[in-house]
Amino acid sequence: MQSKTSWFKKEIFKQNFRQVGWISLIYMIILFFAVPLNIFMRFQRHDEYYGYFGESVFEYGVYVQLFSLFIAPVLMAMFILRYLHQKDSSDFIYSLPIKRDYFYWHQVVFGFIGLWLPVIINGLLVSFVYNIVDVQGSFNINDIGYWFVVSSIILFLTYSVSIVIGTMTGITIIQGIFSYIFLLLPFGFTLLFISNLNYFVIGLPESYLINDKITTYSPITNIVNLINSPEDASYSLVIYVILTILSFIVGLILYRNRPAEAATQAVAFHKLKYIFIYSFTFCFTLIGGIYFAIFHRSTSAIIFGYLIFSVIGYYITQMIIHKTWRVFNEWREYIYYLIGFSIILLLTIFDVTGYQNRIPETDQVESAFVVIDKYSFNENLDKYGDLEGFTTQVDIDRVREYHQQLINSNQMTEWYDYFYKDITILYRLKNGKEMVREYRSSDQLDHQKLLEEITQTQTYKKYTNEIFYVNPKDISQIRIVAYPTNSELTITNYKEIAEFVDLFKQDLLNTDHDSTPYSSTVEVHFNDNLNQYHQFYELSWNYKEVIKWLEDNDLLEQAMMTAEDVEKIIIATPDDLEEYYYYDEREYFSNILSESKKSIITDADQINQILTKVTYEDFEGDHLLVLYLKDTWYPYVIKIHKSQLPDEVINNLK
């Protein structure tokens, strides 16, 4: 009768236990001190530490947990495959009458169990602590389960990637280093590529392409999202499970075909050497472009950075492969790389695809947006979904005209200027696609007149002001703080909130300027169950409907600064408008500035006229407006132009 060969190899198991068992033991001890023991000790104290308890199991010893979560699996893979990187051990293992597939899975499963056991044991201990200690609602049994699942999946993904790298190299230290490089590669390469492309392609929407989603490309950068947003983690976790399975399969295929003589070689497969050389050199080249752009944002400096760092990156790969620094005669592959990179760079600079000048036709556009504040716009998109942009033919043509002006006026020298503001053009096309461009625009350019026309439309004001998407029923209170008096008004009555919001929307749509030197701040607070941040707006004297409503309800003096708060106003015309900076302001305007250079206003009607008429600070102005409050000793000084003042005040100026 034929005997059955067991899959389990006892002697190999013992050898593995001696070689990597310590990793599992140390990881278990680290987790024990960081999680279950930490939780138990914290909840045994009821002093000043109360209130700092985490709302997730990950928040207990979070840095220790995360550090060990990515260190332990790489160490396990490095030591479990260490025999592949030692010639004697490799030759011995390959000489055994054991199929490569069996031995591969034997090693992989041993490391798999060695990593999982510490998580299982500590998960059970956390559950035990949860049942014997009052955790004050800090976390529940579902949070423990989530911690267990996420920890397990991240461990196995990291472990599987390191296994793949281990089969591709013959040097253990390279396996460790390149395990982390591969884990970060999707995130890092995307960031490098888009950032460098942005230096040469005018209109490239860098901030649109590099957003929060890019952090999900790597488990190392995505772990924070997994901890903070469990409700959004399902998709990432499923992808990680699939990638883990695929990695183990790829590792098996590589292991089957791995040359026996690959031990001690940096790259185990000959064909992979060229992939390694060119990909590593390319990434290093992109790093050089960013490095030189930081210090000198010019095209020539960036190209010079490409050249220097490509040489450095190329010879680093040669030193790794040949395991010596004497590789400077290995230059042929670099010439091939330089030619290829130069062709790509020239094609990008000369825009052979027409990307930079592409504007969709009006009949292709469903809606269009011009965005100045990208952060707020994206926040509104995330909260309220689809926003209503410009949809009429006239409005879309205006956006297209402005887009063409931006294309005509933008140069790379302007693109590098930090003093230019960002403008985003977003088209939603009828075929379901989106077209996005970003530019930097100067306030001095002629096309700002067209931008002002766009920003004063009701459509623009609606999609850029979140208040138009808010249901008054969701608002708990509206708090108005006057500047500079700091008087406050709080509205909590639902009817008054609804009236205020409705009138505020009307004023936003009908008012050109939403801010004055003496505007009040409007804080919109939401019901606690919405878990939403406060919204902030400016309330100025230009908001006629809201001001009238406040007057009718005897609330104006609480919400806005009025003549009742002002002691006096001085309109000053010193020879040097900056002179007062060198003196105590109260002393300067009271005693140093000659009487012929100032007009003092104390009449309440004239003060109210000034507060309502001076709607902005003119930094090129020829007068100083000096305002004194009744309850403060120091003045508030702004520059204005004489024409901003009421006629009655102008007629009485000295």
Side-chain angles (χ1 to χ4, degrees):
M1 182 177 181
Q2 185 176 1
S3 61
K4 186 176 181 180
T5 304
S6 172
W7 180 87
F8 176 74
K9 310 297 180 184
K10 184 178 179 181
E11 294 304 319
I12 297 177
F13 176 86
K14 290 180 180 179
Q15 176 63 24
N16 284 339
F17 187 79
R18 286 193 296 266
Q19 194 162 354
V20 301
W22 61 273
I23 299 175
S24 182
L25 181 62
I26 291 176
Y27 182 45
M28 183 172 64
I29 294 172
I30 290 173
L31 278 186
F32 173 74
F33 280 98
V35 187
L37 184 61
N38 189 1
I39 294 173
F40 179 78
M41 294 177 67
R42 283 204 182 189
F43 283 102
Q44 291 301 304
R45 304 186 65 174
H46 298 282
D47 51 15
E48 71 275 8
Y49 286 93
Y50 184 79
Y52 291 92
F53 299 143
E55 297 179 356
S56 163
V57 180
F58 281 105
E59 294 184 29
Y60 296 90
V62 58
Y63 297 111
V64 175
Q65 283 198 65
L66 297 185
F67 185 77
S68 59
L69 190 63
F70 290 101
I71 292 294
V74 173
L75 283 176
M76 181 66 76
M78 288 170 63
F79 281 90
I80 204 72
L81 295 181
R82 183 165 172 75
Y83 68 92
L84 287 178
H85 308 149
Q86 296 174 321
K87 185 169 178 57
D88 292 342
S89 299
S90 176
D91 293 342
F92 173 74
I93 293 297
Y94 286 144
S95 67
L96 295 176
I98 304 174
K99 289 186 177 180
R100 285 196 176 191
D101 288 16
Y102 288 160
F103 200 83
Y104 172 81
W105 288 117
H106 193 284
Q107 298 298 96
V108 166
V109 170
F110 186 92
F112 186 97
I113 295 173
L115 289 171
W116 205 14
L117 275 177
V119 180
I120 294 173
I121 293 170
N122 281 281
L124 293 174
L125 289 174
V126 173
S127 301
F128 176 73
V129 171
Y130 174 79
N131 286 298
I132 65 171
V133 175
D134 182 10
V135 297
Q136 307 291 340
S138 176
F139 59 87
N140 55 41
I141 198 69
N142 291 331
D143 295 323
I144 299 173
Y146 181 74
W147 171 84
F148 176 78
V149 170
V150 171
S151 297
S152 300
I153 292 175
I154 295 298
L155 274 174
F156 300 151
L157 175 62
T158 307
Y159 176 62
S160 65
V161 169
S162 192
I163 288 291
V164 172
I165 303 302
T167 60
M168 293 168 60
T169 183
I171 301 175
T172 302
I173 190 65
I174 289 181
Q175 177 188 357
I177 294 172
F178 277 81
S179 293
Y180 294 109
I181 291 177
F182 267 71
L183 287 169
L184 286 167
L185 186 62
F187 166 80
F189 181 78
T190 304
L191 188 65
L192 285 172
F193 185 75
I194 294 175
S195 297
N196 278 271
L197 203 60
N198 186 50
Y199 299 142
F200 299 98
V201 180
I202 295 175
L204 185 78
E206 182 185 22
S207 63
Y208 180 81
L209 298 171
I210 301 177
N211 52 32
D212 292 340
K213 292 182 180 178
I214 195 175
T215 59
T216 63
Y217 295 175
S218 166
I220 295 177
T221 55
N222 194 36
I223 187 65
V224 176
N225 298 327
L226 297 177
I227 293 173
N228 295 332
S229 304
E231 64 278 2
D232 301 324
S234 300
Y235 178 79
S236 294
L237 294 178
V238 170
I239 295 296
Y240 290 165
V241 170
I242 295 172
L243 290 176
T244 300
I245 296 171
L246 291 176
S247 295
F248 282 133
I249 294 173
V250 170
L252 174 62
I253 295 171
L254 292 173
Y255 189 84
R256 284 176 182 169
N257 298 281
R258 177 186 169 91
E261 65 277 8
T264 72
Q265 294 183 17
V267 180
F269 299 89
H270 180 73
K271 293 182 180 179
L272 290 179
K273 290 182 180 180
Y274 298 104
I275 296 175
F276 169 67
I277 291 171
Y278 292 129
S279 60
F280 187 93
T281 305
F282 183 64
C283 289
F284 223 77
T285 304
L286 298 182
I287 292 173
I290 292 177
Y291 179 81
F292 274 77
I294 291 173
F295 296 102
H296 191 70
R297 293 174 69 96
S298 69
T299 303
S300 57
I302 293 171
I303 293 176
F304 181 73
Y306 288 156
L307 182 63
I308 296 299
F309 272 69
S310 65
V311 172
I312 295 172
Y314 173 77
Y315 279 109
I316 287 176
T317 62
Q318 294 296 333
M319 291 176 191
I320 291 173
I321 290 174
H322 294 91
K323 295 183 291 184
T324 178
W325 62 270
R326 297 176 180 177
V327 292
F328 297 103
N329 59 336
E330 301 287 340
W331 50 266
R332 184 174 287 103
E333 288 90 352
Y334 178 73
I335 297 299
Y336 298 151
Y337 169 80
L338 191 61
I339 293 171
F341 183 81
S342 298
I343 292 172
I344 294 173
L345 186 60
L346 289 173
L347 292 176
T348 303
I349 292 175
F350 289 105
D351 188 29
V352 294
T353 64
Y355 177 92
Q356 299 182 53
N357 296 307
R358 191 175 301 142
I359 300 177
E361 297 297 329
T362 303
D363 58 2
Q364 297 177 327
V365 180
E366 184 176 289
S367 62
F369 299 84
V370 176
V371 181
I372 298 175
D373 186 348
K374 291 176 289 187
Y375 177 80
S376 297
F377 181 76
N378 292 332
E379 284 285 303
N380 290 345
L381 279 178
D382 292 340
K383 289 180 185 177
Y384 307 109
D386 193 21
L387 304 179
E388 183 179 348
F390 296 105
T391 55
T392 66
Q393 181 176 342
V394 174
D395 287 338
I396 293 174
D397 284 340
R398 183 189 290 144
V399 173
R400 293 180 68 252
E401 181 184 356
Y402 178 60
H403 187 180
Q404 186 62 59
Q405 289 183 3
L406 287 172
I407 292 173
N408 295 340
S409 63
N410 266 256
Q411 302 295 329
M412 292 312 300
T413 53
E414 296 174 354
W415 188 243
Y416 299 140
D417 195 329
Y418 288 105
F419 297 101
Y420 282 55
K421 63 184 177 183
D422 292 332
I423 302 290
T424 301
I425 307 291
L426 168 63
Y427 298 101
R428 287 182 177 161
L429 306 180
K430 292 180 180 179
N431 60 9
K433 297 181 179 180
E434 286 187 350
M435 177 177 168
V436 186
R437 297 291 186 270
E438 285 183 3
Y439 302 91
R440 283 194 168 179
S441 174
S442 169
D443 292 334
Q444 305 301 319
L445 297 178
D446 294 337
H447 58 250
Q448 291 307 306
K449 188 176 295 185
L450 186 55
L451 175 62
E452 187 174 345
E453 291 180 16
I454 293 173
T455 57
Q456 294 306 323
T457 61
Q458 293 193 355
T459 300
Y460 178 87
K461 292 178 179 179
K462 284 182 179 179
Y463 71 69
T464 55
N465 287 284
E466 195 173 352
I467 193 70
F468 289 101
Y469 300 92
V470 170
N471 187 336
K473 293 181 180 179
D474 296 330
I475 299 174
S476 61
Q477 68 174 18
I478 293 176
R479 181 170 172 261
I480 306 174
V481 182
Y483 175 83
T485 62
N486 291 326
S487 60
E488 295 185 15
L489 168 65
T490 302
I491 305 172
T492 56
N493 179 274
Y494 169 70
K495 181 182 177 183
E496 293 179 344
I497 288 175
E499 290 176 355
F500 180 91
V501 170
D502 183 57
L503 295 173
F504 193 78
K505 290 178 181 178
Q506 293 180 38
D507 281 331
L508 273 174
L509 294 177
N510 299 323
T511 305
D512 290 341
H513 302 287
D514 63 352
S515 180
T516 71
Y518 309 117
S519 297
S520 297
T521 301
V522 178
E523 300 177 8
V524 180
H525 297 246
F526 294 91
N527 298 323
D528 293 337
N529 62 319
L530 294 178
N531 193 29
Q532 188 168 331
Y533 292 112
H534 307 329
Q535 294 177 12
F536 297 89
Y537 302 92
E538 296 293 326
L539 173 61
S540 73
W541 288 97
N542 295 323
Y543 287 40
K544 304 300 182 183
E545 297 298 327
V546 173
I547 296 297
K548 184 178 182 302
W549 182 83
L550 291 170
E551 285 180 325
D552 294 342
N553 290 275
D554 297 323
L555 300 173
L556 184 62
E557 292 185 2
Q558 295 174 252
M560 302 290 291
M561 179 179 64
T562 66
E564 295 297 322
D565 303 305
V566 180
E567 176 186 327
K568 63 181 177 182
I569 289 178
I570 296 176
I571 306 299
T573 56
D575 295 329
D576 182 2
L577 293 181
E578 310 294 336
E579 184 182 38
Y580 77 92
Y581 286 127
Y582 303 104
Y583 299 91
D584 175 81
E585 291 178 341
R586 191 174 181 89
E587 177 69 15
Y588 176 80
F589 290 108
S590 298
N591 301 320
I592 298 175
L593 184 64
S594 66
E595 294 298 322
S596 63
K597 297 291 186 180
K598 61 186 179 183
S599 299
I600 301 175
I601 301 168
T602 57
D603 180 74
D605 290 338
Q606 291 190 18
I607 290 175
N608 271 329
Q609 288 181 47
I610 291 173
L611 294 179
T612 56
K613 185 89 188 306
V614 179
T615 56
Y616 61 94
E617 179 173 7
D618 186 349
F619 293 99
E620 302 297 327
D622 52 7
H623 286 59
L624 295 177
L625 191 155
V626 187
L627 182 143
Y628 291 83
L629 296 178
K630 291 179 179 179
D631 298 328
T632 59
W633 65 269
Y634 55 89
Y636 294 86
V637 185
I638 64 170
K639 286 183 182 181
I640 62 169
H641 194 273
K642 182 179 178 179
S643 60
Q644 294 176 257
L645 296 170
D647 293 337
E648 184 178 348
V649 175
I650 293 175
N651 295 333
N652 294 322
L653 289 179
K654 294 181 179 179

